[in-house]
Amino acid sequence: MTTTPTPTGANPMPPQTRSLLREPAFLRLWAGTTASGLATWALPFVLGLAVLHRDLGAAGLGLVLAARTAGFLVAVAVGGVLADRHSRRAVVLWSALMAAAAAPLLTAGLGHSVALMTAAAALAGAGQGACRPAFQALTAETVAPEDRQRANAAITMAVRSSTLAGPVLTSLLATFLDVRTLLLGIGLLWLIAALVPGRGARAAAEPLDEPMPRTGFRTDFLEGMREARRHPWFLAGLAALGAVITLGYSATSVALPLISRDRYGTEWVLAAAMTGYTLGALGGAAVIARWRPRSQGLVAFAGLAAYGFAPLSLMLPVHPLLVVAGYVLAGVGIELFNVPWFTAAQREVAPDKLARVSSLDFLVSYGLAPVGLALITPAVHAFGATAVLAACTVVCFLVPAAAALVPTARHFARTPRAPLVRPGAPARR
C-alpha cells in the first residue's frame, strides 16, 4: 500500500467523509454481516425461550449449544482454507445457506427429537464458522484500504446494536409468535447473509475461476499458520486475546450473575453491567472509526487490557454503579482493540492467506472461552471468587502490556505507516 504524496505548496484537501453506508457494495456487505451476527446471537436466546416454554429441557439446551460450538470450531478452520482457495463470496453464500437450512431442522426437532436438534445445531454452527473468515477477507476485497477501519467499526457497531436491542425485540416478537416461527426467522436472517453481499471489487476485476493448485487441507492450513508467524504483532495479539478470553471473560461470565444475586440481592446489576458493556463497545467503535493514533498497536493493547476493569470491579463490595462503570470501560477497550486488529490483518496479511489467518483468530476467540468457563467454576469453589477475580485482573492487565513489547506490536505493522492522504476528488473503487 502506498501513500499518495501531497503536492508541494498545496494544502491537502480534507478526506472524504461520505458515509460508507451510501456505498452500494459496502452496504450489501454490511447488511449481510449484520444479519449473520444477529442470527448468531439470536439462536441461544430463542432456544432459551424454548426451555421456558418447556419445549426443550435444560440438559437438551446444553447439548444443542455444545453441538453448535463444536460445529463452529471444526468449520472455521475449513472455511478459512476454502475462502483462500475459492471465491470468498461463494464461501459466504454456501456457508450461510447451510446455517439457514438448519433452522427448519431445529423447528422439526423442537419438542420431538433432541438428537435432530443437536445435529441441526452442529450444522448451524458449521455454517456460522465457515462464513466468519470469509466475511473478513471479503471486507478487504470490498472496501478500499483507507476506509477499512471505518468499515470494521460500522460492522461492529451494527452487531453490538443488535445484541443491545435484540432481547427486547425478540421478547416482543415472542408475545405474538411461537418459538418455531422465531427459529424460522433466524433461518431468514441467514438467507439475507447468504444472498445480499456482492463480490468484492478485487474479485470482480480478477475472477477466481482458476482454482489454486490443490495441495491438501493440512498443507494449506499450515501455510496459513506460517503466514501468521511472519507477523509477530499478530501472534502477540492472539496470545493476549486468548489470555483475556480464557481468564477475564470466563471469570466475569461466571462471577457476575453470582455477585449480582448474592452481594447486591438483585438481577439489576447483572442487566446493567451487560448493557453498560455493550454501550461502551458502541462508544469505543464510534471513537476508533475516526481516530488514527500514531501507535495504533499500543492503543489497541491498552484497550484490551482495559477488560481487567470488569473483574476488578467485582472483587470488592463497591457501589453497583462502579461495577457498571468497570464494564463500560471494558466495552470501550475491547473495540479499541478489535477494530484496529481486524483492520491490520486485512492490511498486513498476504491477501491470498487472509482467510486462513483470520480463522486462527476465531479459533482462539471461540475455542478458549468454553475451556475458561470449565476451569473457572471449580477454581471459584476451591479458592473463592475474590482470589480468582484478583488473578484474572492481573492477567488482563499484564499480558496485553507484555504483548505490546513484542517487535512490530507498536504499529501492528513491520514499519510505521504514514496516514493515507486523498487529494482532490479521488476515484473510488
Side-chain angles (χ1 to χ4, degrees), residues 131-168:
C131 77
R132 290 300 296 271
F135 266 128
Q136 282 294 102
L138 190 59
T139 300
E141 290 184 348
T142 302
V143 182
E146 64 269 23
D147 287 331
R148 287 176 189 162
Q149 188 155 316
R150 282 197 299 148
N152 288 315
I155 291 170
T156 290
M157 293 177 71
V159 174
R160 295 291 185 185
S161 297
S162 68
T163 63
L164 187 65
V168 176

Side-chain angles (χ1 to χ4, degrees), residues 12-64:
M13 296 291 289
Q16 289 187 346
T17 57
R18 182 183 180 186
S19 171
L20 282 170
L21 294 180
R22 297 176 62 184
E23 302 289 343
F26 176 72
L27 180 59
R28 294 176 64 183
L29 174 67
W30 177 85
T33 53
T34 300
S36 71
L38 183 56
T40 298
W41 165 86
L43 182 57
F45 188 86
V46 173
L47 291 175
L49 293 177
V51 174
L52 294 178
H53 295 168
R54 302 185 185 279
D55 293 320
L56 182 66
L61 174 64
L63 186 61
V64 169

Side-chain angles (χ1 to χ4, degrees), residues 309-412:
F309 287 110
L312 179 64
S313 70
L314 298 175
M315 285 175 54
L316 300 173
V318 298
H319 193 279
L321 288 180
L322 291 179
V323 175
V324 177
Y327 272 79
V328 171
L329 290 174
V332 171
I334 203 68
E335 293 308 336
L336 292 182
F337 174 82
N338 278 340
V339 174
W341 170 259
F342 291 142
T343 305
Q346 293 161 353
R347 180 189 66 232
E348 298 291 324
V349 173
D352 62 331
K353 301 177 182 68
L354 176 56
R356 280 170 283 179
V357 172
S358 295
S359 70
L360 295 176
D361 180 7
F362 295 122
L363 277 171
V364 169
S365 301
Y366 286 84
L368 291 181
V371 175
L373 290 171
L375 295 176
I376 289 296
T377 300
V380 168
H381 288 305
F383 304 106
T386 300
V388 171
L389 289 168
C392 293
T393 299
V394 171
V395 168
C396 288
F397 285 143
L398 292 186
V399 174
L405 302 177
V406 170
T408 74
R410 182 182 183 89
H411 300 284
F412 276 174

